[in-house]
Amino acid sequence: MSDKGAVSGTEAAPAAPPPDRVPAADERGRVEQAARAAEPARSSWSRLLDSGAGRNLGLVAVLALLCVVGVVSADTFLTTSNLLTILTSASIIGVLTVGVTFVIIGGGIDLSVGKVMALASVWATTVATQSYGAAVMVFCAVAVGVGAGLVNGILIAYGRIVPFIVTLAMLISAQGLAEQISDRRSQIVTDPVIAGIANTRLLGIPLLVYIFAAVVAVGWVVLNRTTFGRRTFAIGGNAEAARLAGVDVRRHTMLLYAVSGLCAGIAAIMIASLTTTGSSTHGTLYELDAIAAVIIGGTLLTGGRGTLIGSILGVLVFTTITNLFVLNNLATEVQNIAKGVIIVVAVLIQARAQRSSAAG
């Protein structure tokens, strides 16, 4: 009886688990703590370089270096007309890049924007469309772009097809449809309003540059100050976690490709005005320039991180390089090699930044 009372009145201390049966959570915590203690502390300078602001500052430094090279190599580089030429050239690819940035941050890819732009330019400049005036031409271009983007988005989000395959198929299809509609001929823009967009200047700056700036401004606000933008980052970072948090991932993915198509439609009007034609040859390799600009701007190809300002700086870097090659009468092949090297270096910097972020 006394033995039972002693046992019941005194609680035995829990025995420590044997070494081979330590809880997994505790073991993982100790391993992570030991790993953090073994890692060297990262300097403030290193953290700045790995941040979005640091990468943007780096791109600004690259632009400044290119300007120095331009001044040394060509007397006409810093003239007002040449600088406006650079901005005008950057405008069309820049508008495409805005849409591509949304898609890539959301974890996708869009190879079709160049040829969707060509298709929209052709459809908007047919004789039948132009007979209704400038408003209908703009509506047609935007509708074609958004429609193509929705097709991409539906097949990717609801059909569960790999984005690379879907957008590559759209690139080929849009090219073929543009050639069929135009009979492989350039269609002349006869509407004076559309033709006059590229020639209109406000305060000495082409209207195309203002359109580009407006698209960037709206894109920045949507990406950084709205629920749509936050969901875009969330889906790109971890689509399953976003789904569990209540985000309709498939619907949002579809809308991201519609945004990319919308930008392609706007760019179609811009290029039709600049060249006064609608042609199936418009936009050749523009999608690669846009994707390259997004990459060197610091947006991760895996999604979840990126800045629109970085992408635009990437566009300006590529456009300035192209301008320098033209001013110095250098071969296009060398220019393409230089762009390829820049892309590889940008990807290597991204990989280093990812490793540093994981370590920190």
Side-chain angles (χ1 to χ4, degrees):
M1 186 75 177
S2 59
D3 292 342
K4 290 180 180 180
V7 172
S8 60
T10 305
E11 294 183 359
D20 58 343
R21 300 187 63 182
V22 175
D26 294 343
E27 181 67 20
R28 183 169 60 251
R30 286 200 297 272
V31 170
E32 292 175 352
Q33 184 178 3
R36 285 193 296 268
E39 291 165 357
R42 298 175 64 202
S43 65
S44 299
W45 180 250
S46 176
R47 288 194 296 269
L48 175 62
L49 290 177
D50 290 337
S51 67
R55 286 189 296 272
N56 290 347
L57 286 175
L59 289 172
V60 171
V62 171
L63 274 173
L65 179 61
L66 289 173
C67 289
V68 171
V69 173
V71 171
V72 173
S73 62
D75 295 335
T76 59
F77 178 79
L78 278 184
T79 60
T80 302
S81 60
N82 186 63
L83 293 178
L84 290 178
T85 298
I86 293 175
L87 288 176
T88 303
S89 300
S91 297
I92 296 171
I93 295 180
V95 169
L96 292 177
T97 301
V98 171
V100 172
T101 300
F102 272 84
V103 170
I104 294 181
I105 289 177
I109 194 76
D110 192 350
L111 300 176
S112 66
V113 287
K115 286 308 169 184
V116 168
M117 180 188 74
L119 174 60
S121 76
V122 167
W123 213 317
T125 55
T126 60
V127 174
T129 305
Q130 292 196 64
S131 65
Y132 290 99
V136 173
M137 292 176 68
V138 172
F139 174 80
C140 180
V142 170
V144 169
V146 173
L150 285 174
V151 171
N152 282 336
I154 290 171
L155 291 175
I156 292 167
Y158 295 95
R160 299 183 182 277
I161 306 176
V162 178
F164 180 89
I165 300 300
V166 172
T167 56
L168 179 61
M170 177 59 73
L171 181 155
I172 298 170
S173 301
Q175 171 75 26
L177 186 56
E179 290 176 349
Q180 185 176 20
I181 293 174
S182 64
D183 197 22
R184 297 190 177 184
R185 298 176 181 175
S186 295
Q187 299 174 164
I188 305 300
V189 175
T190 58
D191 185 273
V193 175
I194 299 298
I197 292 176
N199 297 323
T200 301
R201 296 197 174 199
L202 299 176
L203 302 176
I205 299 175
L207 184 57
L208 292 179
V209 177
Y210 286 102
I211 295 173
F212 171 39
V215 172
V216 172
V218 172
W220 187 90
V221 171
V222 172
L223 189 60
N224 296 282
R225 294 292 185 268
T226 67
T227 302
F228 186 90
R230 289 192 292 272
R231 289 177 176 175
T232 300
F233 282 102
I235 291 173
N238 190 323
E240 181 60 20
R243 185 187 68 81
L244 294 175
V247 178
D248 190 338
V249 174
R250 291 189 295 181
R251 178 176 176 272
H252 194 88
T253 299
M254 178 188 70
L255 293 177
L256 287 176
Y257 284 92
V259 168
S260 183
L262 171 63
C263 291
I266 296 172
I269 292 297
M270 295 170 70
I271 198 169
S273 176
L274 185 63
T275 62
T276 64
T277 62
S279 174
S280 60
T281 61
H282 286 332
T284 301
L285 298 182
Y286 275 29
E287 60 278 346
L288 300 184
D289 284 345
I291 293 171
V294 173
I295 293 172
I296 71 169
T299 299
L300 294 181
L301 277 173
T302 52
R305 193 181 76 184
T307 65
L308 192 56
I309 300 302
S311 297
I312 300 311
L313 289 173
V315 172
L316 292 175
V317 167
F318 272 142
T319 307
T320 304
I321 290 173
T322 301
N323 182 261
L324 286 175
F325 275 81
V326 171
L327 292 179
N328 291 281
N329 296 318
L330 296 176
T332 305
E333 299 81 35
V334 181
Q335 173 186 325
N336 291 333
I337 293 172
K339 286 184 177 180
V341 172
I342 291 172
I343 294 170
V344 171
V345 171
V347 172
L348 290 175
I349 293 174
Q350 274 195 10
R352 177 189 174 279
Q354 284 182 284
R355 288 194 298 268
S356 298
S357 298

